[in-house]
Amino acid sequence: IDFPILVTADDIHKERRALSKGIDEETFRRIRLMQKPDEDIMPHARYVITNNGTLEELRMKCRTIYEEIADDC
């Protein structure tokens, strides 16, 4: 059984996180242009996590999905 998960964020969050890891703006833009848009990937994902918040919020979302998957197995 497959459980595809898409983890996404608003563009501003993606850019801020990339810059905070030392990726310059031009490199970030080139990477984004090479990636498929989230809208193209969403139909194939069983779960979509929007990661616009804190690390703790992300962990809670992941935990919820983990529990759902564990219940399905």
Side-chain angles (χ1 to χ4, degrees):
I1 301 174
D2 290 331
F3 298 96
I5 301 170
L6 169 63
V7 180
T8 187
D10 293 339
D11 286 340
I12 190 71
H13 287 91
K14 291 177 184 178
E15 185 172 4
R16 277 191 214 148
R17 290 173 181 148
L19 297 175
S20 75
K21 293 178 181 178
I23 298 172
D24 62 82
E25 290 182 37
E26 180 58 31
T27 301
F28 171 76
R29 286 191 179 91
R30 283 191 316 224
I31 291 169
R32 291 291 293 143
L33 287 172
M34 290 187 292
Q35 294 176 334
K36 287 185 178 183
D38 291 341
E39 294 77 24
D40 291 353
I41 301 169
M42 282 183 188
H44 306 286
R46 181 162 178 182
Y47 298 97
V48 177
I49 298 173
T50 302
N51 182 19
N52 290 332
T54 65
L55 182 56
E56 184 56 33
E57 290 170 331
L58 176 61
R59 285 183 176 138
M60 288 174 41
K61 291 175 182 180
C62 291
R63 195 172 299 118
T64 299
I65 290 173
Y66 173 81
E67 291 169 0
E68 285 182 31
I69 291 171
D71 287 344
D72 283 350
C73 290

